[in-house]
Amino acid sequence: MIDAKRLLIVCFFTMVINLIDTLSYSIRPSGVRTRKLAVALSLFNIMAVISRLSNMVQAPFLGSIVDMAIKFQKVHLLEIDMRFVLFSATLGALIGAPLMPTFVSIFTVAINGMEGAGTVPKLILQVFRWKNFKKLKKKIVVPRLSMLKGVLEADIPKSFLIYNVIITSIYTTGIVSSLYAGAIIPEYRITASQLSGIVNGFATILFTVVVDPVAALITDQALNGKRPQSDVDKMVVLLVFGKIFGTLLAQLVFVPAAELILFVTKLIV
């Protein structure tokens, strides 16, 4: 390890970011249950803010680890540190998975409560009132294996799920691979770090064209009664498992993505 304390900070916030990303999947089933998908998506922005704040802390510390590796000529140790960062993404998804049923339950209450509160600040204040806080404790749902029953038989395109795993792996390692590539050729590390867009851009195109429209279609069909609500729940379970497997796959994508960025960097300079 180059700097254990810095690495722990980066890993912690990477875990938080991926935990929030995983829990964000609870928005769709909550929106379908309440039939207020627009409100559900609006409340998701609260979680997105926490994720962005975590990223604001994580990013400079991650960059400083790379700078220290270059300064003290410890680039050979950097790959190990980066793999710890990638594993912390998997850890965040693993922690988030069993919390999903509880968050679906809580978000359902929050979406319904939004109508009475009128604004998000008022809703948050209501949540922290003692009597309402005690009610929320009752919404804790213990995950059971029976919740996975029939998931694999769900009428959900398999290609959609495979692409989700691939896209997750690319998103997970995009910036990490670009920073690692920059450490290998430190004289052009700014160019290399900016090329993370090559990796993430490919993932964004796939997500926009293949994954998001299918997830939206399944959700809308459930809202309109064209398919059972349970299909959305099963889709979310599969997306969460895809998140876990995708972050694990990032360990394999990490070095090839860095080599691609190195190749393009050398073409540019």
Side-chain angles (χ1 to χ4, degrees):
M1 291 184 185
I2 295 166
D3 188 320
K5 289 183 179 179
R6 289 173 189 266
L7 182 60
L8 281 173
I9 292 171
V10 171
C11 287
F12 173 76
F13 283 104
T14 301
M15 182 191 70
V16 170
I17 292 166
N18 284 272
L19 170 62
I20 293 170
D21 285 347
T22 303
L23 294 177
S24 69
Y25 290 129
S26 63
I27 291 296
R28 291 187 187 276
S30 299
V32 171
R33 289 183 184 185
T34 58
R35 311 197 73 79
K36 298 174 183 176
L37 189 59
V39 177
L41 293 172
S42 178
L43 288 177
F44 163 69
N45 290 330
I46 298 172
M47 296 180 69
V49 167
I50 300 172
S51 179
R52 291 188 187 106
L53 288 173
S54 298
N55 189 64
M56 286 172 62
V57 177
Q58 180 243 36
F61 275 97
L62 182 58
S64 70
I65 289 174
V66 175
D67 287 340
M68 289 178 67
I70 295 170
K71 181 178 180 180
F72 297 108
Q73 298 182 342
K74 293 184 178 180
V75 175
H76 61 287
L77 298 176
L78 190 59
E79 181 180 345
I80 298 171
D81 286 5
M82 292 303 194
R83 291 196 181 278
F84 272 112
V85 174
L86 294 176
F87 178 73
S88 67
T90 303
L91 186 60
L94 285 170
I95 293 172
L99 294 175
M100 283 294 296
T102 295
F103 266 77
V104 170
S105 180
I106 290 173
F107 265 114
T108 300
V109 173
I111 292 165
N112 287 325
M114 184 67 183
E115 192 169 352
T119 64
V120 170
K122 286 183 179 179
L123 178 64
I124 294 172
L125 288 173
Q126 286 181 4
V127 169
F128 283 99
R129 288 177 183 169
W130 181 243
K131 64 175 184 178
N132 292 330
F133 190 72
K134 288 195 294 184
K135 289 179 182 178
L136 279 180
K137 287 171 64 177
K138 296 178 181 178
K139 296 297 178 182
I140 294 173
V141 180
V142 179
R144 302 181 303 275
L145 286 175
S146 59
M147 293 177 176
L148 302 178
K149 187 178 179 181
V151 167
L152 295 178
E153 290 78 33
D155 182 22
I156 296 170
K158 298 300 182 286
S159 59
F160 156 76
L161 300 171
I162 293 169
Y163 278 119
N164 178 57
V165 173
I166 295 170
I167 291 165
T168 299
S169 70
I170 295 171
Y171 271 134
T172 302
T173 195
I175 294 175
V176 175
S177 292
S178 66
L179 289 173
Y180 180 62
I184 295 172
I185 46 171
E187 63 272 26
Y188 301 117
R189 67 178 181 272
I190 295 177
T191 303
S193 65
Q194 294 300 312
L195 285 173
S196 62
I198 289 180
V199 181
N200 288 343
F202 176 66
T204 301
I205 293 169
L206 278 178
F207 179 79
T208 304
V209 174
V210 180
V211 175
D212 194 47
V214 175
L217 178 62
I218 292 171
T219 305
D220 282 345
Q221 286 175 340
L223 273 171
N224 296 324
K226 294 180 180 179
R227 66 162 66 220
Q229 179 185 310
S230 60
D231 278 6
V232 177
D233 297 335
K234 292 171 183 176
M235 176 187 73
V236 167
V237 170
L238 291 169
L239 286 174
V240 169
F241 275 107
K243 174 81 172 175
I244 295 169
F245 287 122
T247 54
L248 286 171
L249 182 60
Q251 297 281 359
L252 295 177
V253 178
F254 168 54
V255 172
E259 289 175 349
L260 173 63
I261 291 169
L262 279 172
F263 174 74
V264 177
T265 300
K266 290 173 182 177
L267 284 180
I268 293 174
V269 299

